[in-house]
Amino acid sequence: MIYSDEFVSALKRQDFAAIRQVPKSDLHNHFVLGGSREYIFEKTGVHIPGLEETLGSMQEMHDWCRLHVDGPLAKSGAPAPPARPRFDSSHLHRILLEAAFYQAKEDGVTLLEVGEDVWANREYYDGDVSWLIDTFYEVRDRIAPGVELRLQIGISRHCPISLLEKWLEPFWGRREFYSIDLSGDESAQPIENFVPIYRKARERFAM
């Protein structure tokens, strides 16, 4: 309880330095949007502004990301996940991951649950899940070695189920993964469509 008391007290005082000193968990981090903007600027020269307004929908969030994160070449109104023209290479994608671990360390996070969308495996790791896993642990060990890492499998609601099932194949049975994140617009397709995927996950990870 001592950490909880310290954290609550720091929140009430709006003492951000004290908040960062309290060990904490981040159990749902999308590393592309959870990283240090200062780190990204230092490594790439790309300035991502802070979010200053309240967003009213997932589409507004996607449009904001396309304007400020993806860059001017990204298409407004296109379905998520978008291509990220500013960071569309394995090297630049890794910098975004580094920024997430850097921010976690700065914020006093001791347990970080973070992962990749399944489509990113083919885009940035040549479809090699072992390379993906090794990348996450290498970056963690180099930037935030004191952080416990829990890997997450991301699947996007707008993607056709047949494609998700194809992209998921290399992930099944890999014990390094802790959870599955179903993300995106909840109205993209009925939740029932994803039942076979979760049933297969239960079978494969119970093996």
Short mmCIF file of all heavy atoms in Angstrom, two decimals, residues 24-29 109 111-114 150 152 178-179:
data_model
loop_
_atom_site.label_atom_id
_atom_site.label_comp_id
_atom_site.label_asym_id
_atom_site.label_seq_id
_atom_site.Cartn_x
_atom_site.Cartn_y
_atom_site.Cartn_z
N LYS A 24 5.52 1.55 -11.06
CA LYS A 24 4.16 1.37 -11.55
C LYS A 24 4.14 0.44 -12.76
O LYS A 24 5.19 0.16 -13.35
CB LYS A 24 3.54 2.73 -11.93
CG LYS A 24 4.31 3.47 -13.01
CD LYS A 24 3.78 4.87 -13.24
CE LYS A 24 4.06 5.79 -12.08
NZ LYS A 24 5.53 6.09 -11.95
N SER A 25 2.95 0.00 -13.13
CA SER A 25 2.77 -0.86 -14.31
C SER A 25 2.05 -0.09 -15.40
O SER A 25 1.19 0.75 -15.13
CB SER A 25 1.93 -2.10 -13.94
OG SER A 25 2.55 -2.86 -12.93
N ASP A 26 2.42 -0.38 -16.64
CA ASP A 26 1.70 0.10 -17.81
C ASP A 26 1.26 -1.15 -18.56
O ASP A 26 2.05 -1.78 -19.26
CB ASP A 26 2.60 0.98 -18.67
CG ASP A 26 1.88 1.54 -19.90
OD1 ASP A 26 0.72 1.13 -20.15
OD2 ASP A 26 2.46 2.38 -20.61
N LEU A 27 -0.01 -1.51 -18.41
CA LEU A 27 -0.49 -2.79 -18.91
C LEU A 27 -1.16 -2.69 -20.27
O LEU A 27 -1.77 -3.67 -20.73
CB LEU A 27 -1.45 -3.42 -17.89
CG LEU A 27 -0.83 -3.71 -16.52
CD1 LEU A 27 -1.87 -4.36 -15.60
CD2 LEU A 27 0.38 -4.62 -16.66
N HIS A 28 -1.05 -1.54 -20.93
CA HIS A 28 -1.63 -1.43 -22.27
C HIS A 28 -0.96 -0.28 -22.99
O HIS A 28 -1.49 0.84 -23.03
CB HIS A 28 -3.14 -1.23 -22.20
CG HIS A 28 -3.80 -1.39 -23.54
ND1 HIS A 28 -4.00 -2.61 -24.13
CD2 HIS A 28 -4.31 -0.48 -24.41
CE1 HIS A 28 -4.60 -2.45 -25.30
NE2 HIS A 28 -4.79 -1.16 -25.49
N ASN A 29 0.18 -0.53 -23.57
CA ASN A 29 0.96 0.53 -24.22
C ASN A 29 1.06 0.25 -25.72
O ASN A 29 1.55 -0.79 -26.12
CB ASN A 29 2.36 0.60 -23.60
CG ASN A 29 3.20 1.72 -24.17
OD1 ASN A 29 3.58 1.70 -25.33
ND2 ASN A 29 3.50 2.69 -23.34
N VAL A 109 8.04 3.20 -14.84
CA VAL A 109 7.32 1.96 -15.13
C VAL A 109 8.26 0.78 -14.90
O VAL A 109 9.38 0.76 -15.42
CB VAL A 109 6.80 1.95 -16.58
CG1 VAL A 109 6.23 0.58 -16.95
CG2 VAL A 109 5.74 3.04 -16.76
N LEU A 111 6.82 -2.54 -15.02
CA LEU A 111 6.21 -3.64 -15.78
C LEU A 111 5.50 -3.03 -16.98
O LEU A 111 4.60 -2.22 -16.82
CB LEU A 111 5.24 -4.43 -14.91
CG LEU A 111 4.73 -5.77 -15.47
CD1 LEU A 111 4.19 -6.65 -14.34
CD2 LEU A 111 3.63 -5.58 -16.51
N LEU A 112 5.94 -3.41 -18.18
CA LEU A 112 5.41 -2.83 -19.41
C LEU A 112 4.82 -3.92 -20.29
O LEU A 112 5.51 -4.86 -20.68
CB LEU A 112 6.51 -2.10 -20.17
CG LEU A 112 6.10 -1.41 -21.47
CD1 LEU A 112 5.15 -0.25 -21.21
CD2 LEU A 112 7.34 -0.93 -22.23
N GLU A 113 3.53 -3.79 -20.59
CA GLU A 113 2.89 -4.71 -21.53
C GLU A 113 2.72 -3.97 -22.85
O GLU A 113 1.99 -2.98 -22.94
CB GLU A 113 1.53 -5.18 -21.00
CG GLU A 113 0.93 -6.29 -21.83
CD GLU A 113 -0.20 -7.01 -21.10
OE1 GLU A 113 -0.20 -7.02 -19.86
OE2 GLU A 113 -1.07 -7.57 -21.79
N VAL A 114 3.42 -4.45 -23.86
CA VAL A 114 3.46 -3.75 -25.14
C VAL A 114 3.72 -4.78 -26.24
O VAL A 114 4.27 -5.86 -25.97
CB VAL A 114 4.59 -2.68 -25.14
CG1 VAL A 114 5.95 -3.31 -24.94
CG2 VAL A 114 4.58 -1.82 -26.40
N ARG A 150 6.16 -7.67 -20.93
CA ARG A 150 5.12 -8.63 -21.31
C ARG A 150 4.71 -8.31 -22.74
O ARG A 150 4.18 -7.24 -23.02
CB ARG A 150 3.91 -8.53 -20.38
CG ARG A 150 4.16 -8.99 -18.96
CD ARG A 150 2.89 -8.90 -18.13
NE ARG A 150 3.10 -9.37 -16.76
CZ ARG A 150 2.17 -9.35 -15.82
NH1 ARG A 150 0.95 -8.87 -16.11
NH2 ARG A 150 2.43 -9.78 -14.61
N GLN A 152 2.67 -8.44 -26.23
CA GLN A 152 1.26 -8.48 -26.59
C GLN A 152 1.13 -8.69 -28.09
O GLN A 152 1.92 -8.16 -28.88
CB GLN A 152 0.65 -7.13 -26.18
CG GLN A 152 -0.84 -7.01 -26.32
CD GLN A 152 -1.30 -5.65 -25.81
OE1 GLN A 152 -1.16 -4.64 -26.49
NE2 GLN A 152 -1.83 -5.62 -24.60
N TYR A 178 2.04 -12.62 -23.95
CA TYR A 178 1.25 -12.66 -22.71
C TYR A 178 -0.23 -12.46 -22.96
O TYR A 178 -1.06 -12.96 -22.23
CB TYR A 178 1.78 -11.58 -21.76
CG TYR A 178 1.16 -11.58 -20.39
CD1 TYR A 178 1.66 -12.41 -19.39
CD2 TYR A 178 0.08 -10.75 -20.08
CE1 TYR A 178 1.10 -12.41 -18.12
CE2 TYR A 178 -0.48 -10.76 -18.83
CZ TYR A 178 0.03 -11.58 -17.85
OH TYR A 178 -0.52 -11.59 -16.58
N SER A 179 -0.57 -11.69 -24.01
CA SER A 179 -1.97 -11.34 -24.21
C SER A 179 -2.24 -10.99 -25.67
O SER A 179 -1.31 -10.85 -26.47
CB SER A 179 -2.36 -10.13 -23.33
OG SER A 179 -1.58 -9.01 -23.67
#
